[in-house]
């Protein structure tokens, strides 16, 4: 499950992102160094990111 307002980390670059919105199919996140929200399909997000615990 992807909760809003949680921090996730890109598995390759180790850069963190904040999840702004999540549904059954889409996730919108924003990188710390960006002003632009990025919408992606949920399955792609889960392949590229892991939750920061």
């Amino acid at each position: 499950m992807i909760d809003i307002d949680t921090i996730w980390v890109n598995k390759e670059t180790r850069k963190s992102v904040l999840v702004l919105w999540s549904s059954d199919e889409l996730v919108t996140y924003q990188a710390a160094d960006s002003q632009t929200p990025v919408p992606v399909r949920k399955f792609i997000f889960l392949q590229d990111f892991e939750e920061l615990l």
Side-chain angles (χ1 to χ4, degrees):
M1 177 175 220
I2 300 174
D3 295 322
I4 60 171
D5 293 332
T6 55
I7 305 292
W8 288 66
V9 177
N10 186 295
K11 292 176 183 176
E12 290 183 14
T13 65
R14 304 307 298 167
K15 290 188 177 183
S16 61
V17 299
L18 174 65
V19 174
L20 302 174
W21 183 81
S22 177
S23 72
D24 290 339
E25 296 183 18
L26 296 173
V27 174
T28 301
Y29 68 88
Q30 185 170 346
D33 60 353
S34 174
Q35 298 280 333
T36 307
V38 180
V40 295
R41 294 209 177 270
K42 191 174 196 172
F43 74 93
I44 293 174
F45 182 84
L46 290 171
Q47 288 176 348
D48 294 344
F49 292 89
E50 60 190 8
E51 189 170 10
L52 186 63
L53 301 174

